[in-house]
Amino acid sequence: MAIFLLSRASRSRLLKPSLSLLANTTKSTVISHSHPILNPNLNPFPSFQRWTPNLEESLRFVSIARICSTPSGSAEKEDKKSGNNSYDISWIDLYLPKTARPYARLARLDKPIGTWLLAWPCMWSITMAAAPGHLPDLKMLTLFGCGSLLLRGAGCTVNDLIDRDIDTKVERTKLRPVASGLLTPLEGLCFLGFQLLLGLGILLQLNNYSRILGASSLLLVFSYPLMKRFTFWPQAYLGLTFNWGALLGWAAVKGSLDPAVVFPMYISGVFWTLVYDTIYAHQDKDDDLKVGVKSTALRFGDSTKKWISGFGIACVSGLALSGFNADIGWPYYAFLVAASGHLGWQIWTVDLSSRADCNRKCQLADSIQCFYFLVPDLCPTNGLVPLFVVGFYSEDSCNKGGTAGLQCSDWAVY
């Protein structure tokens, strides 16, 4: 934009005198005036002609404008290397009032992948609980979708308030609203209360069993940010927190829990989280060592791929057991095999020494989106049952600039 305004100003205010000069002089005179070195004996330009910009001055002027309006080349290279997109413009900057932007960033509204990761287990169990021949309860899907957005935002707020001293020492997190000083801790607490109040409104629309079960998840949400200080397994604790919806979604539909179906689903979600968040933790392992926090990336070290391969096998096995106990037909397993192959490819190809590649692999799939499928159930009723597959949310279009300013680095749940 700066270049555009400068170029227009140059044409409207500076170029007109030179056009009048060209109209009243010969070609040879113009050439000699444009190149004074070729003919140094010519009379100097009149005063108004001296303001006519030549090519060298224009390029110099444009270069200065670019330097003032864009980050330095070294900074851009460092951002690409580290996966930091701090200079990216998101929809928050384009459409929200200036006073609301820090709060939207605190809730990570410009990074929706964490919301999807929280919502998927809820959708799995709601779909699994649907009666054969019927679609999942759309009201429940909507409520849990909104609840995932609010709870993820509340979790991010708690995390940033507790970790504000650590975040200032980590390259990827130092520009977060509380750590950078855009918001005070008191403002963050007020925003947390607002999000929890909205979440309470959603929770009260569920049955009593689900209300108690949902409220109990807050203990996990508030304590998770502390785990990295005490254990090398905060990713496992995150799995317990983020897959609570596998229990809650079923309870919201059925009014109770069926351990044979929901517990394998919940445990498989925990292992799923261990896979993607361990890969993600490799982005920050150097900074984690400096500030003294723990992670599975530091715990596993060079053996990470062996560990997450085991977690991936456990995840797929849990989903298969859950589907078997729910008497779902063979198409469920066909899609599960396809999803397993993609998960295996992700683990096999990730470069744990590259922050950028860890970030890409943490999207869980760059080009595959698995949502709900309705497939014929090969049961005697010959009805339709909702089929769920491990949901892989795609951020590929975001990485390639396909969506309006969504930032894909720092996509983490918290």
Side-chain angles (χ1 to χ4, degrees), residues 348-407:
W348 181 263
T349 59
V350 63
D351 181 2
L352 297 174
S353 62
S354 169
R355 288 189 175 187
D357 193 52
C358 288
N359 191 293
R360 285 192 296 269
K361 293 302 189 299
C362 282
Q363 312 302 323
L364 296 186
D366 288 340
S367 58
I368 293 181
Q369 295 186 25
C370 296
F371 293 94
Y372 291 102
F373 294 88
L374 293 176
V375 298
D377 184 21
L378 302 179
C379 63
T381 59
N382 197 27
L384 291 178
V385 296
L387 169 70
F388 77 91
V389 182
V390 181
F392 291 140
Y393 181 70
S394 172
E395 290 288 334
D396 185 53
S397 58
C398 172
N399 289 331
K400 297 178 180 177
T403 54
L406 294 178
Q407 298 180 16

Side-chain angles (χ1 to χ4, degrees), residues 120-389:
W120 276 124
C122 307
M123 307 306 180
W124 294 350
S125 59
I126 292 173
T127 305
M128 187 75 82
H134 294 80
L135 291 171
D137 190 326
L138 295 181
K139 177 184 177 182
M140 286 297 172
L141 293 177
T142 303
L143 287 175
F144 275 81
C146 296
S148 298
L149 179 67
L150 292 171
L151 187 59
R152 191 265 181 138
C156 291
T157 304
V158 172
N159 182 81
D160 286 10
L161 288 172
I162 295 177
D163 285 350
R164 60 184 182 274
D165 295 332
I166 294 178
D167 286 345
T168 58
K169 303 174 184 178
V170 178
E171 184 66 27
R172 181 179 58 83
T173 61
K174 65 182 181 181
L175 294 180
R176 287 178 175 176
V178 177
S180 63
L182 289 176
L183 293 177
T184 65
L186 179 59
E187 291 172 329
L189 282 174
C190 293
F191 183 57
L192 174 63
F194 174 71
Q195 294 175 95
L196 293 178
L197 184 63
L198 294 179
L200 178 62
I202 294 177
L203 189 63
L204 292 177
Q205 300 183 54
L206 306 180
N207 56 56
N208 290 333
Y209 188 93
S210 300
R211 292 173 185 173
I212 298 173
L213 189 62
S216 62
S217 67
L218 292 179
L219 177 63
L220 295 171
V221 172
F222 285 110
S223 59
Y224 162 72
L226 299 173
M227 291 300 108
K228 65 174 72 74
R229 293 168 169 82
F230 304 112
T231 177
F232 281 100
W233 293 86
Q235 281 70 27
Y237 202 84
L238 178 66
L240 296 173
T241 306
F242 248 58
N243 293 279
W244 197 257
L247 308 176
L248 187 57
W250 182 281
V253 176
K254 298 289 191 179
S256 62
L257 292 177
D258 185 350
V261 176
V262 297
F263 284 173
M265 188 190 310
Y266 178 59
I267 297 302
S268 68
V270 174
F271 284 118
W272 179 45
T273 304
L274 276 166
V275 172
Y276 68 72
D277 208 46
T278 297
I279 295 174
Y280 179 77
H282 273 270
Q283 293 184 99
D284 296 334
K285 55 188 176 184
D286 294 334
D287 291 324
D288 289 346
L289 285 172
K290 293 177 182 177
V291 299
V293 297
K294 302 175 175 65
S295 71
T296 50
L298 297 178
R299 171 65 177 82
F300 301 152
D302 295 336
S303 301
T304 293
K305 286 197 175 185
K306 295 179 181 179
W307 280 90
I308 61 177
S309 296
F311 296 150
I313 294 172
C315 170
V316 174
S317 300
L319 291 174
L321 178 60
S322 179
F324 176 80
N325 292 336
D327 294 325
I328 294 183
W330 65 266
Y332 169 83
Y333 302 100
F335 280 96
L336 185 59
V337 169
S340 303
H342 192 278
L343 184 62
W345 168 86
Q346 171 196 346
I347 295 172
W348 181 263
T349 59
V350 63
D351 181 2
L352 297 174
S353 62
S354 169
R355 288 189 175 187
D357 193 52
C358 288
N359 191 293
R360 285 192 296 269
K361 293 302 189 299
C362 282
Q363 312 302 323
L364 296 186
D366 288 340
S367 58
I368 293 181
Q369 295 186 25
C370 296
F371 293 94
Y372 291 102
F373 294 88
L374 293 176
V375 298
D377 184 21
L378 302 179
C379 63
T381 59
N382 197 27
L384 291 178
V385 296
L387 169 70
F388 77 91
V389 182

